[in-house]
Amino acid sequence: MTEVDGPTLRRIAGHFPTGVTVVTAVHDGRPCGLTVNSFTSISLDPPLILVCVSRRSRAYRCLEAAGRFAVNVLADDQEGLARLFASLAEEKFAGLAYRRSPGGSPILDGVHAWLDCEVMERHAGGNTHTIFVARVTALEAASGSPLAFHRGSYRRLGSAAAPS
């Protein structure tokens, strides 16, 4: 059996299309956020989701300290936000329109959906990531289509079913 290296795993895992989210929080009165595509629901009872965050990201300490966050599911016309929050920009919220979730985390204007979450557990995700398991405390969806990511590129879905 051959050993699997990181770049090969990234390339092959990229064949699985994912949604694109921006995870946001507030710590010491300052908003923070980063683009995350490792997001999924894990339980309906209780309502739990998980996100995987690199411990090397600039937003990591803020998310870790906040103890709660919002998952902003990006709409298909928000590639610019995905790129901004994936960048090394210092002031990602400068001039950006957002409101606060019931728990106080930033909800970006125009998102396809959002979930307000309270961290319940943290797990090591290898040597580089933390897996945050969080309880969903509030949520909302809009019409339209979500932004997708597949094989290294942002994508729009061809057509979307009516929201339920």
Side-chain angles (χ1 to χ4, degrees), residues 42-113:
I42 57 175
S43 171
L44 299 179
D45 185 17
L48 299 175
I49 59 96
L50 70 75
V51 295
C52 301
V53 177
S54 171
R55 291 190 292 272
R56 291 181 278 196
S57 74
R58 288 187 175 181
Y60 180 78
R61 284 190 179 136
C62 172
L63 289 170
E64 175 68 23
R68 60 180 316 110
F69 55 81
V71 177
N72 293 264
V73 178
L74 297 186
D76 66 0
D77 63 349
Q78 293 182 309
E79 181 179 336
L81 283 177
R83 291 185 183 282
L84 171 65
F85 280 92
S87 76
L88 297 176
E90 290 283 335
E91 296 297 325
K92 294 178 181 173
F93 286 87
L96 197 60
Y98 66 93
R99 61 189 164 86
R100 296 292 177 105
S101 71
S105 299
I107 302 296
L108 305 175
D109 280 5
V111 294
H112 183 62

Side-chain angles (χ1 to χ4, degrees), residues 43 46-49 114-118 120 134-139:
S43 171
L48 299 175
I49 59 96
W114 60 265
L115 301 90
D116 202 16
C117 305
E118 179 182 0
M120 304 304 288
R135 184 180 187 97
V136 178
T137 58
L139 67 168

